């Protein structure tokens, strides 16, 4: 059986401010990642840079979008559809990021987007995460619900195109990542939810971690947390740091 590669996803969010900087960043990452053996890199620039960045895809670099509208075409001011994205060699779409949920995206809307994206042949990186951890463990139920609602009515044969990114909200953009030990618990929990849902082992579904992942904690988060890679925000904007993270993950 072909081994599924690890993934390091760079979520550029609303950065950088110029096209020149965007090109410089992708070029540096591309140059330094030619010899990866076990890892693929997904760069998720803002929509306006997708076309330029898509010119650098290939080898170990893949293109991702930070969002997609679930409708194919029509009167939706300011939106970009999943079908439009596929023209730019977009292979991955981040969906349900906590910053978008905060802007009002509901579980129901995220589910529609997931179905459109995987139905359109792309991979959906579904972000889930609790805002706080209560001592009763209620957040487990919350996360289970986020997974189940995002995958509602997704045909089982398309589940291979699903990636779950566990991103606890308290760690995103903060200076506090989860401990590798707690992350390991979360990985086991997410796999169990997926197994109960699909009836098969969820070993093929990649689970990523995001939230203050950096070059200092990358190695132990992936190794001890038993995840298939990382979703990196801030540190993906600094080529040197991001490349170091990628290489660390590849060496595991
Ligand atoms: P961060 O962001 O790495 O800056 O914490 C992660 C994310 O929002 O995906």
């Amino acid at each position: 059986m072909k081994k599924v590669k690890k993934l390091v996803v760079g979520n550029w969010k609303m950065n950088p401010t110029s096209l020149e900087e965007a090109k410089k960043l992708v070029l540096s990452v591309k140059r330094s990642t030619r010899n990866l053996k076990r890892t693929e890199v997904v760069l998720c620039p803002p929509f306006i840079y997708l076309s330029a960045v898509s010119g650098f895809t290939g080898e170990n670099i893949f293109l991702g979008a930070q969002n997609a509208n679930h409708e194919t075409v029509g009167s939706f001011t300011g939106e970009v559809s999943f079908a439009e994205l596929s023209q730019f060699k977009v292979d991955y779409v981040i969906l349900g990021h906590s910053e978008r949920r905060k802007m009002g995206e509901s579980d129901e809307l995220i589910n529609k987007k997931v179905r459109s994206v995987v139905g359109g042949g792309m991979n959906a990186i579904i972000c889930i995460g609790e805002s706080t951890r209560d001592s009763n463990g209620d957040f487990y139920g919350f996360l289970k619900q986020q997974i189940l609602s995002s995958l509602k009515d997704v045909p089982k044969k398309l589940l291979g195109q699903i990636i779950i990114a566990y991103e606890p909200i308290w760690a995103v953009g903060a200076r506090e990542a989860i401990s590798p030990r707690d992350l390991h618990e979360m990985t086991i929990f997410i796999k169990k939810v997926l197994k109960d849902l699909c009836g098969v082992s969820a070993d093929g579904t990649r689970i990523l971690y995001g939230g203050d992942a950096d070059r200092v904690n990358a190695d132990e988060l992936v190794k001890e947390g038993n995840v298939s890679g990382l979703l990196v925000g801030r540190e993906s904007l600094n080529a040197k740091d991001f490349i170091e993270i990628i290489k660390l993950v590849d060496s595991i």
Side-chain angles (χ1 to χ4, degrees):
M1 200 172 95
K2 195 169 161 261
K3 193 147 178 5
V4 185
K5 288 199 173 181
K6 292 199 285 292
L7 274 188
V8 178
V9 183
N11 177 11
W12 291 4
K13 307 192 180 184
M14 205 166 70
N15 302 286
T17 45
S18 77
L19 177 60
E20 278 323 299
E21 282 174 88
K23 282 190 192 158
K24 231 171 107 189
L25 185 53
V26 59
L27 193 58
S28 312
V29 175
K30 171 127 186 158
R31 279 203 189 112
S32 308
T33 52
R34 294 225 154 91
N35 299 321
L36 299 180
K37 298 206 165 47
R38 294 174 276 273
T39 310
E40 289 171 348
V41 179
V42 181
L43 298 178
C44 304
F47 288 134
I48 48 164
Y49 302 143
L50 280 175
S51 167
V53 175
S54 79
F56 297 91
T57 53
E59 296 178 329
N60 297 308
I61 305 285
F62 293 81
L63 191 60
Q66 298 175 20
N67 183 29
N69 191 290
H70 57 282
E71 301 284 354
T72 315
V73 68
S75 304
F76 302 99
T77 303
E79 291 290 290
V80 176
S81 86
F82 73 95
E84 288 160 344
L85 287 173
S86 58
Q87 300 168 77
F88 294 103
K89 299 193 222 158
V90 170
D91 281 313
Y92 293 84
V93 184
I94 298 175
L95 295 171
H97 191 280
S98 53
E99 288 157 9
R100 295 214 56 92
R101 290 182 192 261
K102 206 170 148 196
M103 288 177 218
E105 289 199 5
S106 64
D107 283 344
E108 198 190 353
L109 179 63
I110 292 160
N111 173 249
K112 283 184 185 159
K113 293 181 177 205
V114 170
R115 282 188 279 142
S116 291
V117 163
V118 295
M122 294 176 283
N123 300 292
I125 302 174
I126 304 172
C127 300
I128 59 162
E130 76 284 359
S131 50
T132 49
R133 306 196 129 208
D134 54 296
S135 51
N136 296 332
D138 287 349
F139 63 93
Y140 282 105
F142 174 79
L143 292 171
K144 181 176 176 182
Q145 195 43 48
Q146 280 193 327
I147 298 173
L148 297 184
S149 58
S150 62
L151 293 178
K152 191 169 172 275
D153 298 331
V154 173
K156 286 211 166 60
K157 64 177 196 305
L158 299 183
L159 287 172
Q161 290 162 240
I162 299 290
I163 292 141
I164 303 286
Y166 171 59
E167 293 211 308
I169 300 174
W170 48 267
V172 172
R175 271 289 156 233
E176 184 193 6
I178 197 168
S179 71
R181 203 196 149 117
D182 285 350
L183 179 57
H184 193 190
E185 252 179 41
M186 300 315 297
T187 320
I188 294 169
F189 172 72
I190 294 166
K191 284 192 176 158
K192 165 118 182 41
V193 173
L194 291 172
K195 187 173 177 221
D196 291 348
L197 176 72
C198 316
V200 287
S201 158
D203 283 348
T205 306
R206 283 177 284 191
I207 299 170
L208 310 181
Y209 170 76
D212 194 34
D214 61 20
R215 64 202 162 79
V216 178
N217 60 24
D219 180 74
E220 55 176 15
L221 280 171
V222 174
K223 225 187 262 170
E224 294 169 38
N226 200 23
V227 286
S228 303
L230 299 169
L231 175 46
V232 185
R234 283 157 295 171
E235 297 249 328
S236 70
L237 296 168
N238 177 318
K240 194 165 154 282
D241 292 345
F242 190 53
I243 291 162
E244 200 176 326
I245 293 174
I246 296 165
K247 290 191 173 166
L248 280 167
V249 171
D250 193 52
S251 70
I252 294 169

